[in-house]
Amino acid sequence: MAATLRASTVASLLTGTGGYHNLKALIKAIRACKTLADERSLIQKESAAIRTSFKEEDSFLRHNNIAKLLYIHMLGYPAHFGQIECLKLVASPRFADKRLGYLGIMLLLDENQEVLTLVTNSLKNDMNHSNMYIVGLALCTFANISSEEMSRDLCNEIEKLMGSSNTYIRKKAALCALRIVRRVPDLQDHFVENSKILLSDRNHGVLLTGVTLVTEMCEADSASLPEFRKAVPLLIRHLKSLVTTGYSPEHDVSGITDPFLQTKILRLIRILGKGDAHSSEAVNDILAQIATNTDSAKNVGNSILYETVLTVLEIEADASLRVMAINILGKFLTNRDNNIRYVALNTLNKVVAMDTNAVLRHQNTILDCLRDGDISIRRRALELSYALVRESNVRVLTRELLAFLEVADNEFKLGMTTQISLAAERFAPNRRWHIDTVLRVLKLAGNYVREEILSSFIRLVCHTPELQSYTVSRLFVALQSDVSQESLTLAAVWLIGEFSDILLAEGVTEEEQHKSVTASDIIDLFDSVLQSPYSNSLIRQFILTSITKLSTRISPNDPQQQRIHGMLSQYTTSQELEIQQRAVEFSSLFGQGEITEGVLERMPPPEIKVTVLGVVSETKPVGPTRQDKDSLIDLMGDDMSSTAPAANGGLTANPQDLLKDIFGSSNDTTTVTETASLAPASKPKATVNDILGLFNQTPSAPSPAPSMPTAAMGGLGDMSSLFGPQPSAPAGPVPVSAPAQSAAPAKPAAPKLPAYPAYDKNNLKVTLTPQPSVARPGMVTILATFTTTGAEGVSGLNFQAAVPKTQQLQMLAISNPDIQPGAPATQQMRVIAPAGAQVRLRLRFNFMTAGRNVQDQVDFAGFPADLTAPK
């Protein structure tokens, strides 16, 4: 029954021509459609009927059809075939036809349509019409669709209409001028004089559009600022009038007179006062008056106060006025509206560096925002809390941040652990507090700690011998209670292995009770970590190294030695290549007496340096990996050493050839004897025969040192230094370093290599010194030397390099990222290119100098063309 009624309704609406009488009938028919397919069918039939009707050239039907066509366009169906008919309606003398025609042009056309050129003449005629409403239609259309060409054609008409005596036309002409300034900035000069006149208009609508136009002109062209700064007193008078005027029903919004005009004027004053002390001084009083008298109980008042705050912070305002502006933002933080609090936190983040002490007065309110239910507010409050940390409040803020870290969302934890650790490193009152803070971070969010933070913590402990017992005992107890935090596990395993002798001698203190620790307890702990579901490849690598070190810290006759050997043997058949290699090498090294002790003795403390965070992937494993190290280096327990990664665009050399490449040898049979002979004469702890016996190799006759310069080994040091401290006298039948009298005859000094300038600006000079390899054509070692050319030093230097795809690049770490006058830094690179190819580099620099951050990039191709040619 319902379907029958619907069908009859649709049929009754149809006319004899297959269309609908008017827009109302079409809307009813479309709403009566039961499915989307019915609607599409109906639209197609109606569109066809409209096309047919256009051919009849009936002005009444054209008006009706365009109305229906615009409705069809609003539903998302094609209506472009009605563009020309809209132009015909615009040409009609009837106001109703013009209104609908211009509406159709605004909806169906845009500034990229060729048909738009046909509209220009109609717009020009209607702009000169005697009826102000028809003029208004033309101006409204122009402001919506004008292209660059149309703007140039009608610029003079718009300029003339801006001087009209009719406020309605002046207002719309000003908006058209705004469109022209945005589309064709070089026509801005046509409107400067008329814009000044608009600023003195008493009509609020005209004044609002005039202020908007001047604001756009000042933002587009700073050269116009001096001209409009003369109008600052006029703008101040307008503001005073708005602030002091009584109730005006025409402009009142929640008890405030025309807040839209007030915010626009404040925005313009902010632009005019920036960098101009005279203009800033003139507006200080009115800004203070607005900040004092504006009611903040409603959003209208808050919007004006916010614009006032932005203006005060942007111009050259008095210090007291800035403090008042920050206090207004602090008051915003207590508002119940989340939007207002978010805006306040966002603004405080931008101005905290400007006046930190004023922001610190609202420290408690900011910390309260960490408990807000809105995640965006918590994020902004966190960022602001990081910026507020100082020596005076580091304890309080760190305590609050750690409390929040315990309940924070996972997406916050990586940034929080980084920022808390950096703040502790920079502002820690003492090292005990610093260690306690990082330990707390590792316990709460050990799965979200960057590798740099973990390395920094281990360096700190190594350089603090008076707290090593305290730290290792705390880590031992913490690992016993929780093995789920990866960074906590890595730090504990590394430090327990390194300082297990201290732990065995002094024990631990748990719940104010002192307990002794045995080697069995340590092994039991490591075994529980290995068996836990949280164990991964990296943790297993650390534990294998740690228990091997433990074997040298206990008596050779201790029963736990066999247990350690059994754990190592268990992993000699591991399916993980890294684990298997470590286990096999450690098992071979196990029980070798002095050799084992020399290789696994305590590492010298690594160099203390400021933690600098690079671009680190959040999925990167925590802790060092052995991907770019030779197995011999890992035998020495050098878990914290690493080489600098190749820059983007470069290719890393084969990891297994790393040591061979660094020492400049192209012979695959290079022995440890050849490598070690580069070290100074000293007494090793064992002979080469013993060392090579571990790897089933026999020593070869001493050979002269390779031609590679000593500087090429700077990244990893000479091989003999990997075996720990070296006594002074040689011992053993085949010493690692041959005596002076049996050494190969000294070669004449090599000529000084030329240095090629690659970069010299922003207080930084970079030279590149290449040395091609004689044994391996195409391989070039490049020494980059960084010096500062001014009195100001360079800090935080991050140097990256890239080579073409046909070449390979390997980089070692920079010697010092902070460069002072007279103290250059160096960094080594190795490029492998096809023989005879030109070595080309793209260099990128990122550093701080003279209080500013510099990012620069240069392309370098200044090396000789025959650098890689066979010698």
Side-chain angles (χ1 to χ4, degrees):
M1 183 66 178
T4 304
L5 287 174
R6 184 178 294 109
S8 62
T9 303
V10 172
S12 65
L13 293 172
L14 288 170
T15 65
T17 60
Y20 294 90
H21 283 298
N22 52 38
L23 176 61
K24 185 176 181 182
L26 176 64
I27 294 173
K28 284 184 178 180
I30 291 175
R31 289 181 176 177
C33 292
K34 192 172 183 179
T35 64
L36 186 58
D38 292 342
E39 179 183 306
R40 289 173 181 164
S41 176
L42 179 64
I43 295 295
Q44 288 175 357
K45 291 178 182 179
E46 183 61 25
S47 297
I50 291 174
R51 283 193 187 94
T52 303
S53 179
F54 280 157
K55 299 177 183 178
E56 299 179 5
E57 295 293 337
D58 187 307
S59 61
F60 175 76
L61 288 179
R62 183 182 293 119
H63 183 283
N64 209 16
N65 287 331
I66 291 296
K68 291 186 288 184
L69 195 61
L70 293 182
Y71 182 72
I72 290 173
H73 172 75
M74 290 169 61
L75 294 178
Y77 294 96
H80 58 278
F81 57 87
Q83 294 174 350
I84 299 299
E85 299 302 318
C86 291
L87 293 176
K88 293 179 181 179
L89 277 181
V90 167
S92 170
R94 297 175 59 237
F95 176 78
D97 288 346
K98 284 184 178 292
R99 181 172 59 183
L100 186 61
Y102 278 127
L103 177 61
I105 288 173
M106 286 186 278
L107 290 177
L108 302 181
L109 296 179
D110 59 50
E111 60 180 277
N112 299 317
Q113 299 273 351
E114 292 184 3
V115 183
L116 198 63
T117 57
L118 304 176
V119 185
T120 304
N121 193 51
S122 297
L123 287 175
K124 186 173 183 178
N125 292 334
D126 287 339
M127 285 180 184
N128 295 311
H129 202 281
S130 58
N131 187 331
M132 70 173 186
Y133 296 108
I134 292 179
V135 176
L137 287 176
L139 291 173
C140 185
T141 305
F142 178 91
N144 279 279
I145 66 169
S146 65
S147 62
E148 179 178 345
E149 182 181 357
M150 183 184 288
S151 297
R152 294 184 184 277
D153 291 339
L154 299 178
C155 176
N156 292 332
E157 275 67 24
I158 300 299
E159 182 181 359
K160 182 177 66 175
L161 291 175
M162 286 180 67
S164 171
S165 59
N166 190 312
T167 57
Y168 176 81
I169 294 177
R170 287 204 307 275
K171 178 176 67 175
K172 290 187 176 293
L175 295 176
C176 290
L178 181 62
R179 172 86 176 195
I180 294 176
V181 169
R182 289 175 176 170
R183 288 291 180 272
V184 193
D186 57 338
L187 295 178
Q188 177 173 313
D189 293 341
H190 289 73
F191 308 107
V192 172
E193 294 302 324
N194 284 329
S195 299
K196 294 180 186 177
I197 297 173
L198 293 180
L199 292 180
S200 60
D201 204 298
R202 300 181 64 86
N203 182 278
H204 283 211
V206 177
L207 181 58
L208 181 63
T209 55
V211 171
T212 305
L213 175 60
V214 172
T215 301
E216 181 69 26
M217 294 169 70
C218 292
E219 289 177 342
D221 184 12
S222 58
S224 60
L225 286 173
E227 189 69 27
F228 288 113
R229 281 182 177 139
K230 301 174 183 177
V232 168
L234 182 61
L235 296 174
I236 294 174
R237 285 201 300 272
H238 285 310
L239 269 181
K240 284 184 177 179
S241 175
L242 291 171
V243 172
T244 59
T245 188
Y247 174 73
S248 174
E250 184 180 357
H251 306 112
D252 184 81
V253 178
S254 298
I256 294 179
T257 304
D258 206 342
F260 304 101
L261 181 57
Q262 288 193 46
T263 54
K264 285 286 187 182
I265 294 176
L266 286 170
R267 192 168 302 171
L268 178 55
I269 288 176
R270 181 162 76 246
I271 296 172
L272 297 177
K274 183 177 181 179
D276 186 71
H278 180 72
S279 300
S280 300
E281 185 180 357
V283 299
N284 278 340
D285 290 342
I286 186 61
L287 292 177
Q289 187 176 351
I290 295 174
T292 305
N293 297 337
T294 304
D295 183 15
S296 61
K298 296 184 179 178
N299 273 347
V300 177
N302 288 329
S303 65
I304 295 176
L305 286 174
Y306 179 63
E307 285 294 336
T308 304
V309 168
L310 294 182
T311 303
V312 169
L313 297 176
E314 193 78 14
I315 67 174
E316 309 295 324
D318 295 339
S320 58
L321 206 56
R322 290 179 182 272
V323 172
M324 183 171 62
I326 293 175
N327 289 341
I328 292 174
L329 292 175
K331 188 177 180 182
F332 281 175
L333 293 178
T334 62
N335 197 296
R336 290 181 296 177
D337 191 324
N338 283 355
N339 294 325
I340 294 177
R341 277 184 292 166
Y342 179 86
V343 165
L345 288 169
N346 208 29
T347 309
L348 286 172
N349 266 311
K350 297 175 182 177
V351 304
V352 63
M354 186 185 301
D355 193 342
T356 307
N357 292 331
V359 180
L360 280 173
R361 297 174 187 172
H362 308 281
Q363 174 179 307
N364 294 334
T365 310
I366 294 168
L367 293 176
D368 289 340
C369 292
L370 291 175
R371 305 176 185 87
D372 195 275
D374 191 320
I375 188 172
S376 59
I377 291 179
R378 295 201 300 273
R379 182 178 287 110
R380 290 292 174 264
L382 263 180
E383 294 173 359
L384 186 54
S385 299
Y386 301 150
L388 290 178
V389 178
R390 296 290 183 274
E391 290 184 9
S392 58
N393 61 0
V394 63
R395 291 179 182 270
V396 176
L397 281 178
T398 303
R399 184 171 61 247
E400 293 290 339
L401 290 173
L402 287 173
F404 179 65
L405 178 62
E406 195 167 359
V407 296
D409 299 326
N410 289 342
E411 64 180 287
F412 290 142
K413 288 185 178 179
L414 180 64
M416 289 194 67
T417 56
T418 303
Q419 294 292 344
I420 292 173
S421 301
L422 291 178
E425 179 180 311
R426 185 177 179 186
F427 301 112
N430 53 68
R431 291 194 172 185
R432 170 74 175 264
W433 183 89
H434 186 180
I435 290 175
D436 285 341
T437 300
V438 180
L439 281 174
R440 182 69 173 157
V441 168
L442 295 177
K443 291 179 183 178
L444 293 176
N447 292 324
Y448 301 91
V449 176
R450 293 183 186 272
E451 177 185 339
E452 295 91 342
I453 301 301
L454 184 61
S455 301
S456 174
F457 173 66
I458 292 176
R459 285 198 302 269
L460 173 67
V461 177
C462 291
H463 277 272
T464 316
E466 67 273 15
L467 293 175
Q468 287 170 356
S469 172
Y470 169 79
T471 306
V472 173
S473 66
R474 289 282 305 274
L475 284 169
F476 183 84
V477 173
L479 192 58
Q480 282 182 321
S481 60
D482 185 8
V483 297
S484 64
Q485 304 296 330
E486 182 182 11
S487 290
L488 175 64
T489 304
L490 292 174
V493 169
W494 198 96
L495 290 170
I496 289 173
E498 191 71 12
F499 304 110
S500 52
D501 51 339
I502 299 178
L503 183 62
L504 293 172
E506 301 187 17
V508 299
T509 301
E510 185 177 3
E511 297 179 356
E512 299 183 358
Q513 294 183 356
H514 184 76
K515 298 180 180 179
S516 61
V517 176
T518 64
S520 177
D521 295 332
I522 297 176
I523 298 174
D524 288 342
L525 177 60
F526 286 171
D527 188 56
S528 66
V529 173
L530 289 172
Q531 302 304 323
S532 74
Y534 304 102
S535 176
N536 56 33
S537 177
L538 187 61
I539 291 175
R540 288 191 284 272
Q541 292 176 39
F542 271 52
I543 289 180
L544 290 181
T545 305
S546 188
I547 60 172
T548 308
K549 290 183 178 182
L550 177 62
S551 67
T552 66
R553 310 303 199 258
I554 59 179
S555 170
N557 300 323
D558 194 301
Q560 300 303 322
Q561 295 281 9
Q562 291 302 319
R563 189 176 174 189
I564 293 174
H565 190 267
M567 292 179 68
L568 293 174
S569 301
Q570 176 185 349
Y571 286 95
T572 56
T573 57
S574 172
Q575 293 183 352
E576 298 178 70
L577 181 60
E578 293 289 336
I579 302 296
Q580 182 187 115
Q581 184 176 353
R582 282 179 186 256
V584 169
E585 292 169 352
F586 288 159
S587 295
S588 300
L589 191 64
F590 192 81
Q592 296 291 328
E594 288 187 0
I595 298 177
T596 308
E597 293 179 4
V599 170
L600 297 175
E601 68 180 359
R602 187 179 296 179
M603 288 176 58
E607 179 186 357
I608 282 284
K609 57 184 178 181
V610 177
T611 303
V612 179
L613 296 179
V615 180
V616 181
S617 170
E618 295 185 10
T619 60
K620 183 177 180 180
V622 179
T625 64
R626 294 174 56 202
Q627 217 169 13
D628 297 289
K629 302 180 186 177
D630 188 271
S631 58
L632 279 175
I633 299 175
D634 286 321
L635 282 176
M636 310 312 138
D638 190 11
D639 293 313
M640 296 307 296
S641 66
S642 63
T643 56
N648 293 337
L651 296 176
T652 308
N654 190 346
Q656 66 184 5
D657 296 330
L658 180 60
L659 277 183
K660 180 183 70 176
D661 287 344
I662 289 179
F663 289 100
S665 171
S666 60
N667 186 0
D668 292 339
T669 61
T670 301
T671 64
V672 178
T673 305
E674 296 173 325
T675 304
S677 64
L678 298 174
S682 59
K683 176 183 177 181
K685 291 198 172 184
T687 66
V688 174
N689 286 323
D690 295 332
I691 299 172
L692 296 179
L694 297 176
F695 303 97
N696 297 323
Q697 297 181 13
T698 57
S700 61
S703 60
S707 60
M708 197 69 179
T710 306
M713 302 182 292
L716 295 176
D718 51 85
M719 284 295 294
S720 61
S721 67
L722 296 175
F723 290 84
Q726 304 163 352
S728 56
V734 185
V736 173
S737 179
Q741 59 270 25
S742 62
K747 294 184 179 180
K752 185 176 181 181
L753 299 173
Y756 298 88
Y759 183 84
D760 189 2
K761 52 185 175 179
N762 297 317
N763 287 340
L764 178 66
K765 182 179 181 180
V766 182
T767 59
L768 303 179
T769 305
Q771 172 155 357
S773 172
V774 177
R776 186 172 179 180
M779 185 171 72
V780 181
T781 301
I782 302 172
L783 179 67
T785 304
F786 307 91
T787 56
T788 177
T789 57
E792 296 284 348
V794 170
S795 62
L797 174 62
N798 181 17
F799 172 61
Q800 295 176 318
V803 295
K805 292 183 179 179
T806 57
Q807 303 175 13
Q808 297 180 357
L809 172 69
Q810 183 183 18
M811 299 179 69
L812 299 181
I814 190 170
S815 62
N816 188 358
D818 298 327
I819 306 167
Q820 300 300 327
T826 59
Q827 184 166 0
Q828 295 219 356
M829 300 179 284
R830 171 166 285 106
V831 176
I832 302 176
Q838 173 73 44
V839 175
R840 295 186 292 117
L841 298 169
R842 174 164 292 174
L843 310 177
R844 181 175 296 171
F845 309 92
N846 188 357
F847 55 90
M848 292 286 295
T849 182
R852 59 190 178 93
N853 187 37
V854 177
Q855 293 183 347
D856 207 350
Q857 178 175 301
V858 295
D859 290 333
F860 177 79
F863 291 143
D866 60 348
L867 190 65
T868 59
K871 302 294 188 287

